[in-house]
Amino acid sequence: GIQVEQSPPDLILQEGANSTLRCNFSDSVNNLQWFHQNPWGQLINLFYIPSGTKQNGRLSATTVATERYSLLYISSSQTTDSGVYFCAVYAGGTSYGKLTFGQGTILTVHP
Amino acid sequence: EADIYQTPRYLVIGTGKKITLECSQTMGHDKMYWYQQDPGMELHLIHYSYGVNSTEKGDLSSESTVSRIRTEHFPLTLESARPSHTSQYLCASSSSGRGTDTQYFGPGTRLTVL
């Protein structure tokens, strides 16, 4: 099956700093989502981004499908950005609709 | 955002008990999913459904079972809980009819089996 790798595994920032999270995937994908998991375990949709670039406030994401990677940018980080960020992909074909998750990046933002 | 609900949010039970984790969504999504997540780890798909009376096992083997009798409801059942079932269970749904197939997640159920 498809492999999804995220880097870095852990990231510690001071409030106000910028960061880039990376997601590499091993095969062609139909769709890709970025999630933020808060301390209570809730998965919050950040982006649905199979290709191209999207922005939402301080967050933006870029997926280069031909090179099999996606990037999540967080600017002017805040303590509320802390948590785990997951990238997840749909592999397509008979597995259409089933998400395969990366192992996540644990982000800690200090005041 | 889709409205998707899970109950209970937290459950602590003894070994051997039968439990049912509830999941409901109010968006009319045809697809629903159950994922299992151990603390600090990635999510693994254990069951999914593409519509009423359709259920399939996911990539991670699980002793749980599911049913899909109504579009909005996708309960997960463990006939005899064991400590190895201790985990977080997350339900999700999506709509293939909207083109994007974005999955939306419920708040999860944290299960502890003593």
Side-chain angles (χ1 to χ4, degrees), chain B residues 26-63:
Chain B
T26 60
M27 300 302 291
H29 288 172
D30 53 341
K31 297 179 182 177
M32 296 189 74
Y33 313 83
W34 276 103
Y35 293 85
Q36 184 175 342
Q37 183 187 28
D38 291 330
M41 304 295 286
E42 66 263 48
L43 282 73
H44 293 284
L45 182 70
I46 53 174
H47 297 284
Y48 62 100
S49 167
Y50 286 163
V52 171
N53 295 324
S54 153
T55 61
E56 300 286 346
K57 289 191 178 295
D59 303 321
L60 180 67
S61 176
S62 174
E63 295 169 345

PDB file of all heavy atoms in Angstrom, chain B residues 26-63:
ATOM      1  N   THR B  26     -25.154  14.121  10.437  1.00  0.00           N
ATOM      2  CA  THR B  26     -26.401  14.759  10.002  1.00  0.00           C
ATOM      3  C   THR B  26     -26.278  15.402   8.629  1.00  0.00           C
ATOM      4  O   THR B  26     -27.128  16.206   8.233  1.00  0.00           O
ATOM      5  CB  THR B  26     -26.844  15.825  11.022  1.00  0.00           C
ATOM      6  OG1 THR B  26     -25.800  16.817  11.134  1.00  0.00           O
ATOM      7  CG2 THR B  26     -27.100  15.214  12.373  1.00  0.00           C
ATOM      8  N   MET B  27     -25.228  15.090   7.899  1.00  0.00           N
ATOM      9  CA  MET B  27     -24.973  15.732   6.612  1.00  0.00           C
ATOM     10  C   MET B  27     -25.404  14.886   5.421  1.00  0.00           C
ATOM     11  O   MET B  27     -25.196  15.290   4.282  1.00  0.00           O
ATOM     12  CB  MET B  27     -23.481  16.067   6.487  1.00  0.00           C
ATOM     13  CG  MET B  27     -22.992  17.008   7.560  1.00  0.00           C
ATOM     14  SD  MET B  27     -23.885  18.575   7.595  1.00  0.00           S
ATOM     15  CE  MET B  27     -23.325  19.322   6.077  1.00  0.00           C
ATOM     16  N   GLY B  28     -25.956  13.693   5.700  1.00  0.00           N
ATOM     17  CA  GLY B  28     -26.378  12.851   4.585  1.00  0.00           C
ATOM     18  C   GLY B  28     -25.229  12.242   3.806  1.00  0.00           C
ATOM     19  O   GLY B  28     -25.409  11.810   2.657  1.00  0.00           O
ATOM     20  N   HIS B  29     -24.049  12.169   4.420  1.00  0.00           N
ATOM     21  CA  HIS B  29     -22.899  11.578   3.744  1.00  0.00           C
ATOM     22  C   HIS B  29     -23.115  10.087   3.507  1.00  0.00           C
ATOM     23  O   HIS B  29     -23.605   9.372   4.378  1.00  0.00           O
ATOM     24  CB  HIS B  29     -21.634  11.773   4.581  1.00  0.00           C
ATOM     25  CG  HIS B  29     -21.141  13.175   4.590  1.00  0.00           C
ATOM     26  ND1 HIS B  29     -20.113  13.602   5.409  1.00  0.00           N
ATOM     27  CD2 HIS B  29     -21.511  14.256   3.874  1.00  0.00           C
ATOM     28  CE1 HIS B  29     -19.891  14.879   5.184  1.00  0.00           C
ATOM     29  NE2 HIS B  29     -20.733  15.298   4.263  1.00  0.00           N
ATOM     30  N   ASP B  30     -22.716   9.613   2.306  1.00  0.00           N
ATOM     31  CA  ASP B  30     -22.905   8.200   2.001  1.00  0.00           C
ATOM     32  C   ASP B  30     -21.787   7.332   2.583  1.00  0.00           C
ATOM     33  O   ASP B  30     -21.988   6.174   2.910  1.00  0.00           O
ATOM     34  CB  ASP B  30     -23.039   7.980   0.497  1.00  0.00           C
ATOM     35  CG  ASP B  30     -21.889   8.596  -0.301  1.00  0.00           C
ATOM     36  OD1 ASP B  30     -21.194   9.478   0.234  1.00  0.00           O
ATOM     37  OD2 ASP B  30     -21.694   8.190  -1.458  1.00  0.00           O
ATOM     38  N   LYS B  31     -20.580   7.886   2.739  1.00  0.00           N
ATOM     39  CA  LYS B  31     -19.450   7.096   3.214  1.00  0.00           C
ATOM     40  C   LYS B  31     -19.186   7.386   4.694  1.00  0.00           C
ATOM     41  O   LYS B  31     -19.217   8.537   5.128  1.00  0.00           O
ATOM     42  CB  LYS B  31     -18.196   7.417   2.418  1.00  0.00           C
ATOM     43  CG  LYS B  31     -18.299   7.065   0.950  1.00  0.00           C
ATOM     44  CD  LYS B  31     -17.020   7.431   0.227  1.00  0.00           C
ATOM     45  CE  LYS B  31     -17.130   7.136  -1.258  1.00  0.00           C
ATOM     46  NZ  LYS B  31     -15.918   7.558  -1.994  1.00  0.00           N
ATOM     47  N   MET B  32     -18.910   6.317   5.446  1.00  0.00           N
ATOM     48  CA  MET B  32     -18.529   6.466   6.847  1.00  0.00           C
ATOM     49  C   MET B  32     -17.388   5.525   7.173  1.00  0.00           C
ATOM     50  O   MET B  32     -17.226   4.482   6.519  1.00  0.00           O
ATOM     51  CB  MET B  32     -19.728   6.225   7.770  1.00  0.00           C
ATOM     52  CG  MET B  32     -20.842   7.252   7.574  1.00  0.00           C
ATOM     53  SD  MET B  32     -22.147   7.165   8.798  1.00  0.00           S
ATOM     54  CE  MET B  32     -21.346   7.882  10.241  1.00  0.00           C
ATOM     55  N   TYR B  33     -16.593   5.922   8.188  1.00  0.00           N
ATOM     56  CA  TYR B  33     -15.346   5.219   8.480  1.00  0.00           C
ATOM     57  C   TYR B  33     -15.144   5.149   9.986  1.00  0.00           C
ATOM     58  O   TYR B  33     -15.562   6.047  10.729  1.00  0.00           O
ATOM     59  CB  TYR B  33     -14.146   5.969   7.886  1.00  0.00           C
ATOM     60  CG  TYR B  33     -14.307   6.407   6.453  1.00  0.00           C
ATOM     61  CD1 TYR B  33     -14.977   7.580   6.131  1.00  0.00           C
ATOM     62  CD2 TYR B  33     -13.758   5.652   5.415  1.00  0.00           C
ATOM     63  CE1 TYR B  33     -15.114   7.990   4.814  1.00  0.00           C
ATOM     64  CE2 TYR B  33     -13.891   6.067   4.090  1.00  0.00           C
ATOM     65  CZ  TYR B  33     -14.570   7.234   3.802  1.00  0.00           C
ATOM     66  OH  TYR B  33     -14.703   7.636   2.492  1.00  0.00           O
ATOM     67  N   TRP B  34     -14.442   4.090  10.438  1.00  0.00           N
ATOM     68  CA  TRP B  34     -13.948   4.011  11.807  1.00  0.00           C
ATOM     69  C   TRP B  34     -12.425   3.859  11.747  1.00  0.00           C
ATOM     70  O   TRP B  34     -11.896   3.019  11.016  1.00  0.00           O
ATOM     71  CB  TRP B  34     -14.526   2.805  12.548  1.00  0.00           C
ATOM     72  CG  TRP B  34     -15.865   3.034  13.144  1.00  0.00           C
ATOM     73  CD1 TRP B  34     -17.071   2.604  12.676  1.00  0.00           C
ATOM     74  CD2 TRP B  34     -16.147   3.747  14.364  1.00  0.00           C
ATOM     75  NE1 TRP B  34     -18.080   3.006  13.508  1.00  0.00           N
ATOM     76  CE2 TRP B  34     -17.547   3.710  14.549  1.00  0.00           C
ATOM     77  CE3 TRP B  34     -15.352   4.400  15.305  1.00  0.00           C
ATOM     78  CZ2 TRP B  34     -18.175   4.300  15.644  1.00  0.00           C
ATOM     79  CZ3 TRP B  34     -15.973   4.997  16.387  1.00  0.00           C
ATOM     80  CH2 TRP B  34     -17.371   4.940  16.561  1.00  0.00           C
ATOM     81  N   TYR B  35     -11.745   4.711  12.540  1.00  0.00           N
ATOM     82  CA  TYR B  35     -10.298   4.639  12.682  1.00  0.00           C
ATOM     83  C   TYR B  35      -9.952   4.354  14.133  1.00  0.00           C
ATOM     84  O   TYR B  35     -10.668   4.762  15.054  1.00  0.00           O
ATOM     85  CB  TYR B  35      -9.639   5.961  12.280  1.00  0.00           C
ATOM     86  CG  TYR B  35      -9.758   6.306  10.822  1.00  0.00           C
ATOM     87  CD1 TYR B  35     -10.886   6.965  10.336  1.00  0.00           C
ATOM     88  CD2 TYR B  35      -8.749   5.988   9.917  1.00  0.00           C
ATOM     89  CE1 TYR B  35     -10.999   7.296   8.988  1.00  0.00           C
ATOM     90  CE2 TYR B  35      -8.850   6.312   8.575  1.00  0.00           C
ATOM     91  CZ  TYR B  35      -9.977   6.963   8.129  1.00  0.00           C
ATOM     92  OH  TYR B  35     -10.080   7.283   6.790  1.00  0.00           O
ATOM     93  N   GLN B  36      -8.834   3.678  14.339  1.00  0.00           N
ATOM     94  CA  GLN B  36      -8.306   3.428  15.676  1.00  0.00           C
ATOM     95  C   GLN B  36      -6.974   4.151  15.814  1.00  0.00           C
ATOM     96  O   GLN B  36      -6.152   4.152  14.880  1.00  0.00           O
ATOM     97  CB  GLN B  36      -8.109   1.928  15.901  1.00  0.00           C
ATOM     98  CG  GLN B  36      -7.657   1.559  17.296  1.00  0.00           C
ATOM     99  CD  GLN B  36      -7.597   0.061  17.514  1.00  0.00           C
ATOM    100  OE1 GLN B  36      -8.189  -0.716  16.775  1.00  0.00           O
ATOM    101  NE2 GLN B  36      -6.875  -0.367  18.533  1.00  0.00           N
ATOM    102  N   GLN B  37      -6.772   4.785  16.968  1.00  0.00           N
ATOM    103  CA  GLN B  37      -5.549   5.547  17.181  1.00  0.00           C
ATOM    104  C   GLN B  37      -5.026   5.312  18.589  1.00  0.00           C
ATOM    105  O   GLN B  37      -5.701   5.637  19.566  1.00  0.00           O
ATOM    106  CB  GLN B  37      -5.781   7.046  16.973  1.00  0.00           C
ATOM    107  CG  GLN B  37      -4.522   7.872  17.121  1.00  0.00           C
ATOM    108  CD  GLN B  37      -4.769   9.356  17.074  1.00  0.00           C
ATOM    109  OE1 GLN B  37      -5.834   9.831  17.435  1.00  0.00           O
ATOM    110  NE2 GLN B  37      -3.777  10.113  16.608  1.00  0.00           N
ATOM    111  N   ASP B  38      -3.820   4.761  18.698  1.00  0.00           N
ATOM    112  CA  ASP B  38      -3.154   4.649  19.988  1.00  0.00           C
ATOM    113  C   ASP B  38      -2.465   5.973  20.288  1.00  0.00           C
ATOM    114  O   ASP B  38      -2.118   6.726  19.374  1.00  0.00           O
ATOM    115  CB  ASP B  38      -2.143   3.511  19.964  1.00  0.00           C
ATOM    116  CG  ASP B  38      -2.840   2.157  19.873  1.00  0.00           C
ATOM    117  OD1 ASP B  38      -3.969   2.044  20.380  1.00  0.00           O
ATOM    118  OD2 ASP B  38      -2.259   1.225  19.291  1.00  0.00           O
ATOM    119  N   PRO B  39      -2.248   6.291  21.574  1.00  0.00           N
ATOM    120  CA  PRO B  39      -1.680   7.596  21.948  1.00  0.00           C
ATOM    121  C   PRO B  39      -0.376   7.904  21.225  1.00  0.00           C
ATOM    122  O   PRO B  39       0.538   7.082  21.195  1.00  0.00           O
ATOM    123  CB  PRO B  39      -1.460   7.452  23.459  1.00  0.00           C
ATOM    124  CG  PRO B  39      -2.466   6.446  23.886  1.00  0.00           C
ATOM    125  CD  PRO B  39      -2.569   5.467  22.752  1.00  0.00           C
ATOM    126  N   GLY B  40      -0.334   9.076  20.604  1.00  0.00           N
ATOM    127  CA  GLY B  40       0.877   9.519  19.941  1.00  0.00           C
ATOM    128  C   GLY B  40       1.165   8.849  18.625  1.00  0.00           C
ATOM    129  O   GLY B  40       2.245   9.048  18.054  1.00  0.00           O
ATOM    130  N   MET B  41       0.204   8.079  18.129  1.00  0.00           N
ATOM    131  CA  MET B  41       0.455   7.316  16.902  1.00  0.00           C
ATOM    132  C   MET B  41      -0.487   7.775  15.783  1.00  0.00           C
ATOM    133  O   MET B  41      -1.402   8.547  16.001  1.00  0.00           O
ATOM    134  CB  MET B  41       0.237   5.824  17.164  1.00  0.00           C
ATOM    135  CG  MET B  41       1.076   5.256  18.292  1.00  0.00           C
ATOM    136  SD  MET B  41       2.843   5.305  17.941  1.00  0.00           S
ATOM    137  CE  MET B  41       2.956   3.972  16.749  1.00  0.00           C
ATOM    138  N   GLU B  42      -0.227   7.240  14.582  1.00  0.00           N
ATOM    139  CA  GLU B  42      -1.092   7.584  13.459  1.00  0.00           C
ATOM    140  C   GLU B  42      -2.412   6.833  13.540  1.00  0.00           C
ATOM    141  O   GLU B  42      -2.572   5.901  14.313  1.00  0.00           O
ATOM    142  CB  GLU B  42      -0.398   7.276  12.122  1.00  0.00           C
ATOM    143  CG  GLU B  42      -0.132   5.800  11.866  1.00  0.00           C
ATOM    144  CD  GLU B  42       1.281   5.418  12.235  1.00  0.00           C
ATOM    145  OE1 GLU B  42       1.740   5.775  13.350  1.00  0.00           O
ATOM    146  OE2 GLU B  42       1.922   4.729  11.412  1.00  0.00           O
ATOM    147  N   LEU B  43      -3.371   7.267  12.732  1.00  0.00           N
ATOM    148  CA  LEU B  43      -4.675   6.618  12.686  1.00  0.00           C
ATOM    149  C   LEU B  43      -4.636   5.443  11.720  1.00  0.00           C
ATOM    150  O   LEU B  43      -3.980   5.512  10.672  1.00  0.00           O
ATOM    151  CB  LEU B  43      -5.743   7.606  12.208  1.00  0.00           C
ATOM    152  CG  LEU B  43      -6.265   8.625  13.212  1.00  0.00           C
ATOM    153  CD1 LEU B  43      -5.226   9.701  13.490  1.00  0.00           C
ATOM    154  CD2 LEU B  43      -7.550   9.250  12.693  1.00  0.00           C
ATOM    155  N   HIS B  44      -5.380   4.395  12.062  1.00  0.00           N
ATOM    156  CA  HIS B  44      -5.488   3.240  11.179  1.00  0.00           C
ATOM    157  C   HIS B  44      -6.960   2.943  10.924  1.00  0.00           C
ATOM    158  O   HIS B  44      -7.752   2.869  11.864  1.00  0.00           O
ATOM    159  CB  HIS B  44      -4.815   2.008  11.793  1.00  0.00           C
ATOM    160  CG  HIS B  44      -3.332   2.133  11.908  1.00  0.00           C
ATOM    161  ND1 HIS B  44      -2.486   2.008  10.816  1.00  0.00           N
ATOM    162  CD2 HIS B  44      -2.537   2.390  12.966  1.00  0.00           C
ATOM    163  CE1 HIS B  44      -1.250   2.160  11.214  1.00  0.00           C
ATOM    164  NE2 HIS B  44      -1.242   2.402  12.506  1.00  0.00           N
ATOM    165  N   LEU B  45      -7.308   2.719   9.659  1.00  0.00           N
ATOM    166  CA  LEU B  45      -8.683   2.420   9.288  1.00  0.00           C
ATOM    167  C   LEU B  45      -9.028   0.993   9.692  1.00  0.00           C
ATOM    168  O   LEU B  45      -8.306   0.044   9.352  1.00  0.00           O
ATOM    169  CB  LEU B  45      -8.840   2.575   7.770  1.00  0.00           C
ATOM    170  CG  LEU B  45     -10.226   2.343   7.203  1.00  0.00           C
ATOM    171  CD1 LEU B  45     -11.164   3.471   7.625  1.00  0.00           C
ATOM    172  CD2 LEU B  45     -10.180   2.238   5.686  1.00  0.00           C
ATOM    173  N   ILE B  46     -10.139   0.810  10.429  1.00  0.00           N
ATOM    174  CA  ILE B  46     -10.562  -0.527  10.831  1.00  0.00           C
ATOM    175  C   ILE B  46     -11.856  -0.971  10.156  1.00  0.00           C
ATOM    176  O   ILE B  46     -12.069  -2.168   9.936  1.00  0.00           O
ATOM    177  CB  ILE B  46     -10.679  -0.659  12.368  1.00  0.00           C
ATOM    178  CG1 ILE B  46     -11.552   0.435  12.968  1.00  0.00           C
ATOM    179  CG2 ILE B  46      -9.297  -0.657  13.014  1.00  0.00           C
ATOM    180  CD1 ILE B  46     -11.803   0.256  14.463  1.00  0.00           C
ATOM    181  N   HIS B  47     -12.739  -0.038   9.816  1.00  0.00           N
ATOM    182  CA  HIS B  47     -13.982  -0.379   9.101  1.00  0.00           C
ATOM    183  C   HIS B  47     -14.392   0.803   8.228  1.00  0.00           C
ATOM    184  O   HIS B  47     -14.093   1.948   8.554  1.00  0.00           O
ATOM    185  CB  HIS B  47     -15.135  -0.659  10.078  1.00  0.00           C
ATOM    186  CG  HIS B  47     -14.928  -1.819  10.975  1.00  0.00           C
ATOM    187  ND1 HIS B  47     -15.055  -3.129  10.552  1.00  0.00           N
ATOM    188  CD2 HIS B  47     -14.605  -1.875  12.301  1.00  0.00           C
ATOM    189  CE1 HIS B  47     -14.819  -3.937  11.563  1.00  0.00           C
ATOM    190  NE2 HIS B  47     -14.537  -3.211  12.636  1.00  0.00           N
ATOM    191  N   TYR B  48     -15.109   0.501   7.146  1.00  0.00           N
ATOM    192  CA  TYR B  48     -15.698   1.572   6.357  1.00  0.00           C
ATOM    193  C   TYR B  48     -16.968   1.076   5.677  1.00  0.00           C
ATOM    194  O   TYR B  48     -17.211  -0.125   5.559  1.00  0.00           O
ATOM    195  CB  TYR B  48     -14.709   2.123   5.330  1.00  0.00           C
ATOM    196  CG  TYR B  48     -14.213   1.150   4.286  1.00  0.00           C
ATOM    197  CD1 TYR B  48     -14.752   1.130   3.009  1.00  0.00           C
ATOM    198  CD2 TYR B  48     -13.166   0.280   4.570  1.00  0.00           C
ATOM    199  CE1 TYR B  48     -14.282   0.252   2.044  1.00  0.00           C
ATOM    200  CE2 TYR B  48     -12.681  -0.601   3.620  1.00  0.00           C
ATOM    201  CZ  TYR B  48     -13.239  -0.608   2.358  1.00  0.00           C
ATOM    202  OH  TYR B  48     -12.768  -1.483   1.411  1.00  0.00           O
ATOM    203  N   SER B  49     -17.754   2.053   5.248  1.00  0.00           N
ATOM    204  CA  SER B  49     -19.032   1.749   4.608  1.00  0.00           C
ATOM    205  C   SER B  49     -19.264   2.764   3.500  1.00  0.00           C
ATOM    206  O   SER B  49     -19.107   3.965   3.705  1.00  0.00           O
ATOM    207  CB  SER B  49     -20.165   1.825   5.639  1.00  0.00           C
ATOM    208  OG  SER B  49     -21.426   1.831   5.003  1.00  0.00           O
ATOM    209  N   TYR B  50     -19.695   2.268   2.353  1.00  0.00           N
ATOM    210  CA  TYR B  50     -19.990   3.156   1.236  1.00  0.00           C
ATOM    211  C   TYR B  50     -21.475   3.457   1.109  1.00  0.00           C
ATOM    212  O   TYR B  50     -21.892   4.164   0.195  1.00  0.00           O
ATOM    213  CB  TYR B  50     -19.468   2.576  -0.077  1.00  0.00           C
ATOM    214  CG  TYR B  50     -17.965   2.659  -0.223  1.00  0.00           C
ATOM    215  CD1 TYR B  50     -17.301   1.881  -1.172  1.00  0.00           C
ATOM    216  CD2 TYR B  50     -17.207   3.487   0.581  1.00  0.00           C
ATOM    217  CE1 TYR B  50     -15.928   1.952  -1.315  1.00  0.00           C
ATOM    218  CE2 TYR B  50     -15.831   3.563   0.463  1.00  0.00           C
ATOM    219  CZ  TYR B  50     -15.195   2.789  -0.497  1.00  0.00           C
ATOM    220  OH  TYR B  50     -13.834   2.847  -0.624  1.00  0.00           O
ATOM    221  N   GLY B  51     -22.280   2.883   2.007  1.00  0.00           N
ATOM    222  CA  GLY B  51     -23.706   3.155   1.991  1.00  0.00           C
ATOM    223  C   GLY B  51     -24.447   2.160   2.860  1.00  0.00           C
ATOM    224  O   GLY B  51     -23.840   1.271   3.473  1.00  0.00           O
ATOM    225  N   VAL B  52     -25.759   2.303   2.905  1.00  0.00           N
ATOM    226  CA  VAL B  52     -26.586   1.411   3.716  1.00  0.00           C
ATOM    227  C   VAL B  52     -26.350  -0.041   3.305  1.00  0.00           C
ATOM    228  O   VAL B  52     -26.276  -0.356   2.107  1.00  0.00           O
ATOM    229  CB  VAL B  52     -28.066   1.789   3.576  1.00  0.00           C
ATOM    230  CG1 VAL B  52     -28.957   0.753   4.235  1.00  0.00           C
ATOM    231  CG2 VAL B  52     -28.330   3.162   4.174  1.00  0.00           C
ATOM    232  N   ASN B  53     -26.229  -0.908   4.319  1.00  0.00           N
ATOM    233  CA  ASN B  53     -26.001  -2.346   4.149  1.00  0.00           C
ATOM    234  C   ASN B  53     -24.661  -2.686   3.506  1.00  0.00           C
ATOM    235  O   ASN B  53     -24.444  -3.821   3.082  1.00  0.00           O
ATOM    236  CB  ASN B  53     -27.144  -3.001   3.355  1.00  0.00           C
ATOM    237  CG  ASN B  53     -28.461  -2.947   4.089  1.00  0.00           C
ATOM    238  OD1 ASN B  53     -28.503  -3.057   5.317  1.00  0.00           O
ATOM    239  ND2 ASN B  53     -29.541  -2.770   3.351  1.00  0.00           N
ATOM    240  N   SER B  54     -23.761  -1.733   3.441  1.00  0.00           N
ATOM    241  CA  SER B  54     -22.409  -1.937   2.921  1.00  0.00           C
ATOM    242  C   SER B  54     -21.402  -1.727   4.038  1.00  0.00           C
ATOM    243  O   SER B  54     -21.359  -0.642   4.629  1.00  0.00           O
ATOM    244  CB  SER B  54     -22.124  -0.938   1.795  1.00  0.00           C
ATOM    245  OG  SER B  54     -20.736  -0.665   1.687  1.00  0.00           O
ATOM    246  N   THR B  55     -20.641  -2.774   4.382  1.00  0.00           N
ATOM    247  CA  THR B  55     -19.561  -2.619   5.359  1.00  0.00           C
ATOM    248  C   THR B  55     -18.367  -3.441   4.902  1.00  0.00           C
ATOM    249  O   THR B  55     -18.538  -4.529   4.343  1.00  0.00           O
ATOM    250  CB  THR B  55     -19.964  -3.067   6.774  1.00  0.00           C
ATOM    251  OG1 THR B  55     -20.315  -4.452   6.758  1.00  0.00           O
ATOM    252  CG2 THR B  55     -21.129  -2.249   7.311  1.00  0.00           C
ATOM    253  N   GLU B  56     -17.174  -2.896   5.150  1.00  0.00           N
ATOM    254  CA  GLU B  56     -15.945  -3.573   4.764  1.00  0.00           C
ATOM    255  C   GLU B  56     -14.930  -3.412   5.881  1.00  0.00           C
ATOM    256  O   GLU B  56     -14.942  -2.415   6.603  1.00  0.00           O
ATOM    257  CB  GLU B  56     -15.366  -2.962   3.488  1.00  0.00           C
ATOM    258  CG  GLU B  56     -16.276  -3.018   2.275  1.00  0.00           C
ATOM    259  CD  GLU B  56     -16.386  -4.411   1.685  1.00  0.00           C
ATOM    260  OE1 GLU B  56     -15.565  -5.279   2.032  1.00  0.00           O
ATOM    261  OE2 GLU B  56     -17.318  -4.628   0.879  1.00  0.00           O
ATOM    262  N   LYS B  57     -14.029  -4.382   5.978  1.00  0.00           N
ATOM    263  CA  LYS B  57     -12.939  -4.266   6.942  1.00  0.00           C
ATOM    264  C   LYS B  57     -11.844  -3.375   6.355  1.00  0.00           C
ATOM    265  O   LYS B  57     -11.594  -3.366   5.138  1.00  0.00           O
ATOM    266  CB  LYS B  57     -12.389  -5.643   7.284  1.00  0.00           C
ATOM    267  CG  LYS B  57     -13.343  -6.478   8.138  1.00  0.00           C
ATOM    268  CD  LYS B  57     -12.664  -7.703   8.668  1.00  0.00           C
ATOM    269  CE  LYS B  57     -13.598  -8.506   9.558  1.00  0.00           C
ATOM    270  NZ  LYS B  57     -13.959  -7.747  10.795  1.00  0.00           N
ATOM    271  N   GLY B  58     -11.188  -2.658   7.241  1.00  0.00           N
ATOM    272  CA  GLY B  58     -10.137  -1.749   6.819  1.00  0.00           C
ATOM    273  C   GLY B  58      -8.773  -2.403   6.796  1.00  0.00           C
ATOM    274  O   GLY B  58      -8.652  -3.624   6.745  1.00  0.00           O
ATOM    275  N   ASP B  59      -7.757  -1.560   6.849  1.00  0.00           N
ATOM    276  CA  ASP B  59      -6.389  -2.053   6.716  1.00  0.00           C
ATOM    277  C   ASP B  59      -5.865  -2.688   8.001  1.00  0.00           C
ATOM    278  O   ASP B  59      -4.996  -3.552   7.953  1.00  0.00           O
ATOM    279  CB  ASP B  59      -5.471  -0.892   6.319  1.00  0.00           C
ATOM    280  CG  ASP B  59      -5.937  -0.240   5.027  1.00  0.00           C
ATOM    281  OD1 ASP B  59      -6.367  -0.974   4.120  1.00  0.00           O
ATOM    282  OD2 ASP B  59      -5.876   0.992   4.934  1.00  0.00           O
ATOM    283  N   LEU B  60      -6.375  -2.261   9.149  1.00  0.00           N
ATOM    284  CA  LEU B  60      -5.922  -2.801  10.423  1.00  0.00           C
ATOM    285  C   LEU B  60      -6.955  -3.812  10.911  1.00  0.00           C
ATOM    286  O   LEU B  60      -8.140  -3.501  11.018  1.00  0.00           O
ATOM    287  CB  LEU B  60      -5.755  -1.692  11.465  1.00  0.00           C
ATOM    288  CG  LEU B  60      -5.289  -2.126  12.852  1.00  0.00           C
ATOM    289  CD1 LEU B  60      -3.850  -2.645  12.776  1.00  0.00           C
ATOM    290  CD2 LEU B  60      -5.387  -0.976  13.842  1.00  0.00           C
ATOM    291  N   SER B  61      -6.495  -5.023  11.205  1.00  0.00           N
ATOM    292  CA  SER B  61      -7.404  -6.060  11.678  1.00  0.00           C
ATOM    293  C   SER B  61      -7.991  -5.664  13.029  1.00  0.00           C
ATOM    294  O   SER B  61      -7.282  -5.165  13.905  1.00  0.00           O
ATOM    295  CB  SER B  61      -6.646  -7.384  11.808  1.00  0.00           C
ATOM    296  OG  SER B  61      -7.480  -8.373  12.360  1.00  0.00           O
ATOM    297  N   SER B  62      -9.280  -5.874  13.174  1.00  0.00           N
ATOM    298  CA  SER B  62      -9.951  -5.512  14.418  1.00  0.00           C
ATOM    299  C   SER B  62     -10.971  -6.579  14.769  1.00  0.00           C
ATOM    300  O   SER B  62     -11.602  -7.167  13.876  1.00  0.00           O
ATOM    301  CB  SER B  62     -10.637  -4.156  14.273  1.00  0.00           C
ATOM    302  OG  SER B  62     -11.412  -3.855  15.411  1.00  0.00           O
ATOM    303  N   GLU B  63     -11.157  -6.843  16.050  1.00  0.00           N
ATOM    304  CA  GLU B  63     -12.162  -7.793  16.509  1.00  0.00           C
ATOM    305  C   GLU B  63     -13.542  -7.156  16.605  1.00  0.00           C
ATOM    306  O   GLU B  63     -14.510  -7.830  16.928  1.00  0.00           O
ATOM    307  CB  GLU B  63     -11.738  -8.386  17.850  1.00  0.00           C
ATOM    308  CG  GLU B  63     -10.471  -9.233  17.734  1.00  0.00           C
ATOM    309  CD  GLU B  63      -9.893  -9.611  19.079  1.00  0.00           C
ATOM    310  OE1 GLU B  63     -10.286  -8.999  20.094  1.00  0.00           O
ATOM    311  OE2 GLU B  63      -9.041 -10.506  19.128  1.00  0.00           O
TER     312      GLU B  63
END
